[in-house]
Amino acid sequence: MERYSRQILFKKIGEAGQKEISKKHALILGIGALGTHTSETLARAGVKKLTIIDRDYVEMSNLQRQHLFTEEDAVKKWPKAEAAKKRLQQINSEVEIEAIVAQADGALLEGIIEDVDLLIDGTDNFETRFLLNDLAHKYHIPYIFGSCVGSFGMAFTIIPGETPCLQCLLKKLPLQGQTCDTVGIIAPTVQMVTAHQSVEALKVLSGNSEAVRKTFVSFDLWENEYVSLKAGALKDKACLSCGEERTYPFLQAESNTKVAVLCGRDTVQIRPAEGEPLLLEQLADRWRSAGYEVGGNAFLLSIVKEGTRIVFFKDGRALVHGTKNPDEARKIYHSLIG
Ligand SMILES: [Zn+2]
């Protein structure tokens, strides 16, 4: 327990709280700016298990704010979940880390939710957040929302049955609009959001849920603005995710969008409906013999066609870079996969 001694000295956690933390399993969806910070804090804090899920791979433009990743990860295009796992195991080899390289959908999440104690938001889009929100309410698991763009950040802890959910909040608060694509982001914004997310995680995981923040917090670090909003009254009895006649609409959606323009980049993701795994080695051979230059690693293939870079993952997805046009992306995808 020596490695956790300073955390145990902190009276609100103590030995009892540490024992609780060491039995807990947190699921972090999205291992980008937010997820790399919260996963590092929880690995260092000594949780039993972390499940980390991400659909993307490491790029140079991530290194400015995404802890855990190195230049080598970016050069090798290592999937974020695998790169994070590698680093987290170096930090704390006692923590069990499950890395999943995939686009999270209802079926995937419901298949792994059984012993999860906490859901943490590391995503960059509201579609996936609504999925987490529904999952939290269906399985009665606390969900820590976080979001940041530019110098502006927000955080809120959702306790099913007590607080309003993300759907309730969205009807009253202007949460959407800007993306890191349009206004960029600075690292301290990430650190402030994840400080809020991580302390809430420590409260929940150490058995101190009564200490959870009851207000919705938002701030602008550059403008020195800090707002703490009472959110309890925003709970909507008719809400389909947390209300009296809930249907969990986002979990039911068969598989959400097949083609998505990704936040922060000129990139379109294509996910085939069948979700058949790709045989990367066979594809690489086929494309090489057709004259294409093919790169990649054990998890993905990278190919350039007519000046556009396309990256294929084992699970059948592809990222088409250099475009925001879904139709154009789909055309290039089908020209390579058939
Ligand atoms: Zn609700």
Side-chain angles (χ1 to χ4, degrees), residues 311-325:
V311 175
F312 291 89
F313 291 83
K314 254 195 224 164
D315 65 357
R317 285 178 307 119
L319 297 179
V320 183
H321 296 288
T323 180
K324 283 186 184 134
N325 182 337

Side-chain angles (χ1 to χ4, degrees), residues 284-295:
D285 287 346
R286 198 203 298 168
W287 292 334
R288 277 197 192 102
S289 56
Y292 290 107
E293 201 176 304
V294 183

Side-chain angles (χ1 to χ4, degrees), residues 28-325:
I28 303 177
L29 182 50
I31 300 292
L34 298 175
T36 50
H37 283 77
T38 50
S39 63
E40 179 173 343
T41 302
L42 293 187
R44 288 187 189 276
V47 294
K48 175 168 181 265
K49 180 175 177 182
L50 287 175
T51 296
I52 55 179
I53 307 174
D54 197 284
R55 63 186 176 185
D56 214 344
Y57 61 89
V58 182
E59 293 180 284
M60 281 295 175
S61 64
N62 301 150
L63 303 185
Q64 163 249 7
R65 65 197 179 287
Q66 303 189 10
H67 281 201
L68 303 176
F69 302 145
T70 62
E71 290 179 357
E72 189 188 350
D73 294 327
V75 169
K76 290 186 170 168
K77 296 187 173 58
W78 221 241
K80 287 184 177 179
E82 291 290 344
K85 176 180 176 175
K86 183 178 58 173
R87 179 73 184 127
L88 291 169
Q89 294 284 211
Q90 289 169 348
I91 289 168
N92 192 343
S93 58
E94 293 169 358
V95 179
E96 185 189 340
I97 314 254
E98 184 176 6
I100 299 175
V101 183
Q103 161 83 42
D105 59 18
L108 185 153
L109 291 169
E110 291 199 80
I112 58 171
I113 197 68
E114 201 186 345
D115 63 344
V116 171
D117 299 294
L118 179 64
L119 299 167
I120 302 180
D121 195 339
T123 71
D124 61 3
N125 65 87
F126 272 87
E127 185 181 323
T128 315
R129 289 189 175 112
F130 291 146
L131 194 58
L132 277 176
N133 185 54
D134 274 0
L135 196 71
H137 288 86
K138 183 168 178 185
Y139 294 92
H140 272 270
I141 302 168
Y143 160 41
I144 303 177
F145 161 77
S147 167
C148 52
V149 62
S151 56
F152 179 73
M154 307 182 276
F156 185 63
T157 305
I158 293 167
I159 308 286
E162 293 179 28
T163 63
C165 82
L166 201 58
Q167 294 284 0
C168 297
L169 291 176
L170 199 72
K171 284 176 204 142
K172 310 280 180 185
L173 301 173
L175 302 188
Q176 282 176 301
Q178 292 181 316
T179 69
C180 37
D181 200 10
T182 53
V183 293
I185 180 145
I186 52 173
T189 315
V190 176
Q191 291 151 4
M192 182 66 107
V193 170
T194 55
H196 280 285
Q197 287 186 297
S198 299
V199 74
E200 295 295 289
L202 288 177
K203 290 172 187 174
V204 171
L205 297 176
S206 66
N208 289 291
S209 289
E210 76 287 346
V212 160
R213 170 187 276 274
K214 306 292 189 295
T215 55
F216 183 96
V217 63
S218 72
F219 55 83
D220 189 320
L221 282 179
W222 201 269
E223 303 298 334
N224 307 308
E225 291 166 359
Y226 204 92
V227 177
S228 193
L229 193 80
K230 278 195 181 130
L234 300 179
K235 195 164 170 62
D236 176 9
K237 276 185 187 166
C239 174
L240 292 179
S241 293
C242 75
E244 286 164 0
E245 288 178 42
R246 53 185 82 176
T247 59
Y248 311 115
F250 281 81
L251 277 179
Q252 289 191 358
E254 180 59 21
S255 64
N256 306 322
T257 24
K258 299 292 192 299
V259 178
V261 181
L262 300 193
C263 171
R265 345 201 328 228
D266 255 5
T267 299
V268 175
Q269 172 176 268
I270 314 255
R271 186 167 44 138
E274 309 79 37
E276 296 246 330
L278 292 177
L279 302 167
L280 296 183
E281 280 178 36
Q282 286 184 17
L283 282 174
D285 287 346
R286 198 203 298 168
W287 292 334
R288 277 197 192 102
S289 56
Y292 290 107
E293 201 176 304
V294 183
N297 54 46
F299 307 99
L300 55 84
L301 285 183
S302 169
I303 174 172
V304 176
K305 184 172 194 265
E306 289 153 22
T308 302
R309 185 159 56 93
I310 308 112
V311 175
F312 291 89
F313 291 83
K314 254 195 224 164
D315 65 357
R317 285 178 307 119
L319 297 179
V320 183
H321 296 288
T323 180
K324 283 186 184 134
N325 182 337

